[in-house]
Amino acid sequence: MASTMVAAVFQGDGRLSIIERPVPFITPADVLIEVEACGVCGTDIHVLEVPPAHPAFPGVIMGHEFVGIVRAVGPDAIGVEIGQRVAVAANLSCGSCSSCKRGNPNHCEHFTTMGIFRDGGLARFVAAPASACHVVSKDIPREIAALTEPLSCVVNGVEQAHLLPGEAVAVIGAGPVGLLFLSLFRAAGAGLVVVVEPTELRRDAAKRMGADVCLDPSQGDPARAVRDVTSGAGADVVVDAVGDQLSQALSAVRVGGRVLLFGMNSRAWPSIHQYDITRNELTVVGAYVGSNVFPKAARILASGLVDLSPMISHRVSLEDLPSALDAIRQGKAVKVVVDLMAGS
Ligand SMILES: [Zn+2]
Ligand SMILES: [Zn+2]
């Protein structure tokens, strides 16, 4: 095996370089994974902003949405075998802090993320703790299998929404996360799925992924439009997949309905009419990463119940990643997946 590999390395100050790095060594509890594909997340774009909108360690290999084949296992790596295909839960919890012991590893006091604070999957090889690896079917195309990580977070959100068959859902924001919500709600039996999204490219993807109604918020009040298509009632469930849409969500949800807050924007302080929550007996719930959701996401992908292919607008080689990042920044991409097997 070669001793070096090409990797996408965060250099600080918004810079990303495609450079040679040593193939990683594995510690006893790690496995070495040959990466097949790795998705690009909005968080990666935030890391590369100046000033950064999300912290990361300079020098780290980026990429936290990846799938690959296990090529080596450490002597203490349990539950994973050479040759298996795994997706990695890139948010690593310590297992020892009070949050972990309380059963909330997604709120671990020592939470760290591969691709942000330690080397991730935008390289030919990555070392990952065996405990974070989840076997996924080899029948799933690699660019789809790479979506296991974001899908797992959305599975957590869908669980919090307690959707019943036939209910009406409104998803605000049709970026990759909003599209995953749309797809899961559809598969879970939603009767009507409305998407609110200003970008035509993303509305088109939403249409192809089964949205019944796609609203452009620049063409009128979307909350009123949601009411119009729900006989005046409002949606049973409204998801904010953006991070600053609570006020809109409260206007679009029916009396007694649920508002799920998933998108995150630490700078947003939306002004809301608290009275509506009380008077209309609304449930407002937040969802963050989730616990034990990876196996569920892997099973959903293996089931064939959802077709996520319409959301992948760019499948690129590692060398073409910088131009694909520009496409995301310019609103010309939906989901970018880097194919690490391209040309091999
Ligand atoms: Zn992410
Ligand atoms: Zn912990």
Side-chain angles (χ1 to χ4, degrees), residues 75-121:
D76 299 333
I78 300 166
V80 188
E81 293 169 14
I82 288 174
Q84 282 182 323
R85 184 194 227 187
V86 293
V88 176
N91 292 299
L92 306 177
S93 51
C94 73
S96 301
C97 72
S98 58
S99 289
C100 284
K101 286 178 174 168
R102 213 182 290 125
N104 302 114
N106 52 331
H107 298 282
C108 173
E109 290 156 29
H110 309 109
F111 218 23
T112 189
T113 306
M114 299 179 67
I116 306 276
F117 301 113
R118 60 175 269 179
D119 286 344

Side-chain angles (χ1 to χ4, degrees), residues 60-258:
V60 83
I61 297 173
M62 296 188 73
H64 59 270
E65 302 178 353
F66 54 93
V67 65
I69 306 294
V70 176
R71 295 299 182 204
V73 298
D76 299 333
I78 300 166
V80 188
E81 293 169 14
I82 288 174
Q84 282 182 323
R85 184 194 227 187
V86 293
V88 176
N91 292 299
L92 306 177
S93 51
C94 73
S96 301
C97 72
S98 58
S99 289
C100 284
K101 286 178 174 168
R102 213 182 290 125
N104 302 114
N106 52 331
H107 298 282
C108 173
E109 290 156 29
H110 309 109
F111 218 23
T112 189
T113 306
M114 299 179 67
I116 306 276
F117 301 113
R118 60 175 269 179
D119 286 344
L122 281 171
R124 194 58 191 267
F125 293 95
V126 60
S131 57
C133 295
H134 298 268
V135 175
V136 297
S137 167
K138 288 183 177 173
D139 295 335
I140 305 166
R142 57 183 177 266
E143 69 276 15
I144 301 294
L147 300 176
T148 310
E149 194 274 342
L151 185 66
S152 73
C153 300
V154 171
V155 166
N156 174 51
V158 169
E159 285 184 330
Q160 313 286 335
H162 303 296
L163 181 88
L164 285 173
E167 285 193 316
V169 180
V171 179
I172 304 176
V177 160
L179 293 171
L180 290 173
F181 268 109
L182 150 65
S183 199
L184 286 196
F185 280 132
R186 190 92 272 176
L192 177 79
V193 182
V194 182
V195 164
V196 180
E197 165 59 46
T199 311
E200 187 177 4
L201 180 72
R202 293 177 168 193
R203 285 199 305 275
D204 286 348
K207 267 275 178 238
R208 286 189 286 141
M209 291 177 73
D212 298 296
V213 180
C214 293
L215 300 170
D216 178 353
S218 70
Q219 301 297 310
D221 177 11
R224 172 170 295 179
V226 169
R227 292 188 175 282
D228 286 345
V229 294
T230 52
S231 308
D236 298 284
V237 173
V238 180
V239 178
D240 174 5
V242 179
D244 58 6
Q245 298 292 306
L246 175 55
S247 177
Q248 284 288 357
L250 293 175
S251 305
V253 71
R254 72 161 165 84
V255 169
R258 289 91 74 199

Side-chain angles (χ1 to χ4, degrees), residues 1-2 5 23-24 32-35 61 71 120-121 123-127:
M1 198 167 77
M5 60 183 186
V23 170
L32 184 70
I33 298 166
E34 183 174 11
V35 181
I61 297 173
R71 295 299 182 204
R124 194 58 191 267
F125 293 95
V126 60

Side-chain angles (χ1 to χ4, degrees), residues 10 12-16 40-57 62 64-65 115-117 176-177 202 241-244 262-267 325 328-329:
F10 174 55
D13 300 321
R15 288 175 296 126
L16 181 83
V40 176
C41 171
T43 303
D44 299 320
I45 300 295
H46 292 321
V47 164
L48 292 169
E49 285 173 22
V50 182
H54 192 287
F57 291 155
M62 296 188 73
H64 59 270
E65 302 178 353
I116 306 276
F117 301 113
V177 160
R202 293 177 168 193
V242 179
D244 58 6
F262 187 94
M264 290 198 293
N265 178 346
S266 62
R267 293 180 284 234
L325 291 172
I328 297 175
R329 294 182 184 109

